[in-house]
Amino acid sequence: MPNVTIDPTGEVIWLEPEETVLSGLFRAGFAYTVGCRRGGCAICKVDCLAGTFGYNRRVAESVLSADERTDGTCLSCRAVPQTDVTIRLREGDLRMVNPYLRQINERARQRAEALAAAQPASGVTSKE
Amino acid sequence: MGVMRMGYAHVRVTDLAEAKAHYANTMGLYETHAEDGRVYYKGWDEWDHHSVVLEEGGVGVVKFGWKVRYSSDLDEIERRAQAFGVTVERMSRGENPEIGDGIRFTTPSEHVFEVYHEATLIGTEVGTHNPDAFPRHLVGVGVPGLDHALITAEDVKGMERFLTEVFDFYATERVQTSLEDDADYIGTWMTSNNQIHQLAVIGGPQGKLHHFAFKLGDWSEVGHAADLFSMDDVPIDVGPTRHGITRGQTVYFFDPSGNRNEVFAGGYLAYPDRPVHVWTPEQLGKGIFYHARELNDRFTTVLT
Ligand code: FES
Ligand SMILES: [Fe+2]
């Protein structure tokens, strides 16, 4: 249940297990530049500054080059964080479109953190 | 001489199982064949063996097939393509399952075209003997068939000239930088017959797919399709709306690999002697999306 921190605003978004970065941000009320939402168009790339993530589907070579697979480029509609991650949007165009979802997500994050604090060191296994 | 229609669109998908669920269960295409990572489909009102081919691995378009009326058309198109300066190779029966001999070349826009004259006749789902109006048990949208595609090219004017000289296509609508004779072309919508467009080309990178489209009957079918896309969690790009260009009614949406699809209804009858509709860039929003009257940020950037 990783958190996504958005650089540089410091917004923190809580993700469901196995949830993609794009899905998490939209579910928390935000919007940014996306296209197909299905890993095909490469428009939704963000940069991952900290933390690790994997892809929940094969991603086409034409969408993500070999270099981009190691330089922190994060195809957000297919990227599933394995740890807490910090991302930076490329166009700097994070838009709040639904503040109610934002509040719900913030409460969920706080609940998850409280729960984690109450059950220390259960060990987080990263998913492939 | 004549190209009759776009016979098939052969596209890449990243996950064949998800793609099959989309094209069979949501779009309602009929699977006619499968072999080594490829699946072949036809719509219920199509008679040839297939009109859509899915190939596992990557995204975007592998090639388009064009069916000609006479076998002699193959020689004529080969001659014309060579005269245009394009290298043409012969393709033999069976290179594509159930498709006959033909020719293959790469267009100036770097798309692969195959031209053929014969395909195995399967027949429509309603047959030819006192046929009913549609099959009783359509699945999902139940598209009757493939309609057209939109591709991108660096040189739109050059592609219009290519399609005119090699395929004998004519433009029905165009987006031009101005109304002057020396205007450059931003987009062109082309056909060989009364269908409003079989292939459209807009400015953009070489070799890319903007969308390929399935035909539908009318507004209400387009709206019904959009309802089904919501039920099946298909990402809708735009619509239902109308295109100013072609006057067609439309929904743009994405397949599970991010290839853009469209369902398209209507469009007026095209004739080669009808004056070409010309759109200028400041009205392009209205030309593409007649109601919103502005392009979204995805129209020119989201390609596979
Ligand atoms: S939105 Fe198209 S690849 Fe992510
Ligand atoms: Fe279209």
Side-chain angles (χ1 to χ4, degrees):
Chain A
M1 281 149 276
N3 287 330
V4 178
T5 302
I6 298 166
D7 179 87
T9 67
E11 292 275 0
V12 183
I13 314 294
W14 180 79
L15 262 56
E16 299 276 2
E18 305 298 323
E19 188 170 26
T20 64
V21 171
L22 180 149
S23 166
L25 263 68
F26 276 71
R27 204 176 42 75
F30 293 98
Y32 61 102
T33 305
V34 298
C36 65
R37 301 177 183 228
R38 294 293 184 269
C41 72
I43 288 292
C44 65
K45 285 175 188 168
V46 302
D47 290 301
C48 182
L49 308 180
T52 60
F53 60 90
Y55 289 115
N56 65 356
R57 298 284 195 295
R58 261 173 287 173
V59 175
E61 295 295 317
S62 58
V63 171
L64 213 52
S65 69
D67 286 348
E68 286 176 317
R69 286 172 201 259
T70 55
D71 69 2
T73 298
C74 169
L75 190 74
S76 62
C77 71
R78 290 302 201 202
V80 177
Q82 292 157 340
T83 64
D84 285 356
V85 296
T86 301
I87 61 164
R88 181 182 290 154
L89 300 184
R90 292 197 166 171
E91 305 293 322
D93 59 355
L94 182 69
R95 291 175 283 144
M96 164 55 70
V97 295
N98 187 332
Y100 308 110
L101 290 175
R102 179 72 191 103
Q103 289 160 15
I104 290 167
N105 184 273
E106 183 60 17
R107 282 198 294 271
R109 182 175 71 84
Q110 284 165 3
R111 264 200 311 278
E113 275 177 6
L115 203 63
Q119 309 170 315
S122 60
V124 178
T125 49
S126 62
K127 283 136 189 136
E128 47 87 43
Chain B
M1 89 149 224
V3 170
M4 294 190 292
R5 63 178 169 275
M6 176 181 287
Y8 51 84
H10 182 141
V11 298
R12 295 184 190 283
V13 297
T14 44
D15 184 311
L16 196 54
E18 288 186 344
K20 284 173 70 172
H22 172 76
Y23 287 99
N25 300 342
T26 300
M27 302 315 297
L29 293 173
Y30 290 71
E31 183 177 328
T32 56
H33 182 65
E35 64 174 40
D36 9 287
R38 294 182 190 157
V39 186
Y40 298 75
Y41 291 100
K42 69 185 269 298
W44 68 261
D45 207 23
E46 291 172 325
W47 48 94
D48 280 348
H49 181 267
H50 60 265
S51 62
V52 172
V53 183
L54 307 179
E55 178 171 331
E56 190 159 51
V59 293
V61 62
V62 177
K63 59 194 181 185
F64 292 109
W66 302 92
K67 193 177 188 194
V68 294
R69 182 155 184 196
Y70 302 109
S71 63
S72 58
D73 292 332
L74 296 173
D75 304 317
E76 178 67 13
I77 290 172
E78 178 175 34
R79 196 185 57 71
R80 289 177 179 220
Q82 283 166 343
F84 197 92
V86 162
T87 307
V88 180
E89 62 181 42
R90 285 270 158 182
M91 137 181 133
S92 39
R93 171 179 304 279
E95 282 185 46
N96 298 285
E98 312 298 331
I99 300 292
D101 295 336
I103 56 174
R104 181 187 299 117
F105 52 84
T106 301
T107 64
S109 61
E110 294 176 26
H111 295 86
V112 175
F113 281 10
E114 292 175 340
V115 188
Y116 62 99
H117 169 243
E118 286 177 337
T120 301
L121 178 73
I122 287 186
T124 73
E125 295 301 314
V126 293
T128 52
H129 184 205
N130 305 325
D132 275 313
F134 53 87
R136 189 65 173 266
H137 298 293
L138 286 173
V139 173
V141 181
V143 291
L146 182 68
D147 192 80
H148 68 267
L150 173 58
I151 58 176
T152 58
E154 282 170 5
D155 178 7
V156 173
K157 202 170 199 170
M159 262 311 273
E160 183 179 304
R161 194 166 66 83
F162 178 80
L163 291 164
T164 303
E165 292 181 12
V166 177
F167 271 6
D168 217 12
F169 276 15
Y170 64 96
T172 57
E173 307 221 11
R174 216 182 261 140
V175 182
Q176 302 183 180
T177 49
S178 75
L179 299 176
E180 308 302 320
D181 287 345
D182 64 352
D184 208 355
Y185 297 172
I186 294 168
T188 183
W189 281 251
M190 301 192 79
T191 191
S192 67
N193 53 29
N194 294 139
Q195 186 184 351
I196 189 62
H197 64 322
Q198 295 172 32
L199 185 69
V201 185
I202 57 167
Q206 294 281 88
K208 289 284 190 176
L209 175 69
H210 189 280
H211 67 265
F212 64 101
F214 298 99
K215 61 183 107 233
L216 284 179
D218 60 25
W219 262 122
S220 71
E221 291 186 11
V222 169
H224 184 67
D227 292 338
L228 290 164
F229 299 152
S230 286
M231 291 181 200
D232 288 355
D233 195 28
V234 174
I236 290 184
D237 183 22
V238 171
T241 184
R242 182 195 286 281
H243 293 307
I245 296 167
T246 72
R247 301 180 189 155
Q249 295 121 30
T250 175
V251 181
Y252 281 165
F253 53 100
F254 295 104
D255 81 2
S257 305
N259 296 305
R260 193 189 276 98
N261 294 164
E262 179 185 22
V263 285
F264 179 91
Y268 57 91
L269 283 181
Y271 289 95
D273 65 331
R274 179 179 176 127
V276 177
H277 291 194
V278 178
W279 297 77
T280 41
E282 79 285 355
Q283 290 296 318
L284 181 57
K286 187 174 178 179
I288 304 295
F289 303 126
Y290 191 65
H291 302 140
R293 273 164 284 140
E294 55 184 34
L295 293 184
N296 60 34
D297 54 0
R298 295 178 299 279
F299 184 76
T300 54
T301 56
V302 172
L303 309 165
T304 56

